[in-house]
Amino acid sequence: MAVHPLTKSLPSNWQARLRNGLAQWPIYRDRARGLLLGTRAHYGLLFVVLVYALLIAIGFVYLYPLLFMLITSLKSPTDLLNPMVQWVPTEWYFGNYVRAFRVLNYPSTLLASIMVSVVPSVLQTAVCSLIGYGLARYRFPGKSLLFALILATFIIPPQNTVIPQMLTYRRLGLLGTLWSLVLPALGGQGFRSAIFILIFYQTFLSLPRVLEEAARIDGASEARVFFQIAVPTALPAYVVSVIFSIVWYWNETYLTVIFLEGGIQTLPMQLSRFVQAYQNLYPPGTVNIFDRLNEAIKLAGTFLNILPLLVMYFVLQKWFVESVERTGITGE
Amino acid sequence: MKAPSRSPVSLRYQTRQALQGYGFVALWMVGFVLFTLVPLVETFRYSFHHVIVSATGVEMTFVRWQNYTRALFTDPTFVELLIEYIVETLVSVPIIMIFSLIIALFLNLKLPLKGLLRTVFFLPVIITSGPVIRELVSQGATTVPQIARSPLVLEFLARLPRALRNPAEYLMTSFILILWFSGVQILIYLASLQKIDRSLYEAAAIDGASSWESFWKITLPSLSATNIVVAVYTLITLSHFSENKLVRYIYTQTYDIKGGIGYASAMSFLYFAALALILLMIYLALRSRAPKV
């Protein structure tokens, strides 16, 4: 029997092996399908690719303004005029930052911003924790009314209460000083105090009472129980509150512009009068064309404005993104 | 009653509890009266007066409802801005809620790089201050021009009826900004998603439910309380934002010679009323979907 040249190189039992392989085809097919579409144990490849593509696309749209700002702020005046230069500047040009730094009067406004956001934040957090603790641990009549009023302070727009406060501060000579922000914070009426009260309420509610009871039986006073037992156990809530409060105070401009008028100049306030400040430093007409105010300088100023917060965010990132889990405001 | 107590004045347990509780919240009550209640009532009083602030003090002349009628019937800008505010808010709130829920659902999957993505989506919370947003908007950084100004989009907008065109145009031009307001909301949804009992999903899967069905039958009903929190938070953040056009208008009118404090106060209260109305609408819309236990 003549052996066909093609089959000669094959093992003698090739027919059986082929049949066997074909019989196993459904298994391979199922494995491939599992890999692509997912099984109970893991997600499918197609699914993962799709989700990543979506998330990256959305992430790009999300970050687009920031990228735009960063790139534009690095463009030299010639790059700005050149329509060919869109995303990649021809050189690293930091002249915009130098000007924006001077126009913003950076060192002093930065210091003012830090002071204006840190001091009220710390006080607000301390006061809100006291109130949250009182609500979580004691039973007293009128508590539901108190909750309703706390919610109301969250909802009432600032412009409905700001003018009489401003006039009072003016009469007392406190307008333009830090006191105008510190006093409401001390009364639990600072910027978004209601949220922080609820954070502390939830936190203290979720902590076990046993330790506090034990201390009380040992004769500790209520104040001592609060400061020596409740505060240390609720430390994560304090950190979250302080950093969120700092961010919100930093970014708040409606109240700060009204209360600090004629006094402290913060970074966002200086940014909102950037054009005017620029023209004071570089009067139009006297400077050459390359020193005129352009969008690159403005965006450099904007970037300098958010830079401190960005640094803070990347350092304390974990605290920010885990904040909600740590403090548990989810609506129960 | 002979309570064995060493203190000279022995109070009942409940009374003592209540007093201690009041002690903790006393600071807030004082603050509320001084910094919220009194100013609120005072602003309400201003809204019925013509107010002139001079170096010596505040002069007020009673004008009845004049400030209110002027805002609603004489001032064309205010009414226009008020309607715009209501429409934009009613468009933005659901979009932000849906967007943040979708992102939260994605981030809730067990995927690598989850932490990085979470950082990206939370970033806007850190940087959204009024002046920063104003700069970004005025430099055109918040719209993707290739999309917003493409002929297709312009054509589509031109064909819409006028009532739909404004919200649609608003959506196109400030889409990124709308999304930027979802940072905190994503975290809130994420935290509630993680609280849902895993075994519910397993039981449903054994009974043959697809993940699509489990989403509608398990995930969404479990989020009904969270939805209200997210909706209220979104509404308030949008309405208190200092770049809100209506807020800006009221602010400029406060210092305007023709406007004045009285007029601005009246507008503030009308604005507050609109806000309360939207709040009520949101509450009614979301409450009816809550499961009846």
Side-chain angles (χ1 to χ4, degrees), chain A residues 52 62 141 160 189 295 313 330, chain B residues 22 36 43 112 119 139 195:
Chain A
Y52 271 109
Y62 223 64
N160 285 54
Q189 311 292 317
E295 65 260 39
Y313 181 50
T330 45
Chain B
Y22 285 130
T36 302
T43 312
T119 309
Q139 303 305 332
K195 272 191 199 158

Side-chain angles (χ1 to χ4, degrees), chain A residues 285-303:
Chain A
T286 63
V287 292
N288 67 33
I289 187 156
F290 289 112
D291 280 340
R292 290 239 183 96
L293 181 57
N294 57 36
E295 65 260 39
I297 300 175
K298 276 192 196 165
L299 288 175
T302 313
F303 188 73

Side-chain angles (χ1 to χ4, degrees), chain B residues 224-266:
Chain B
S224 56
T226 314
N227 280 335
I228 294 185
V229 172
V230 168
V232 171
Y233 180 85
T234 311
L235 171 67
I236 299 301
T237 318
L238 288 175
S239 309
H240 289 191
F241 189 49
S242 63
E243 281 309 289
N244 184 321
K245 279 178 222 138
L246 200 53
V247 172
R248 288 219 65 76
Y249 183 68
I250 294 174
Y251 175 74
T252 48
Q253 288 294 307
T254 311
Y255 295 99
D256 200 89
I257 306 164
K258 279 184 285 178
I261 289 175
Y263 185 45
S265 306

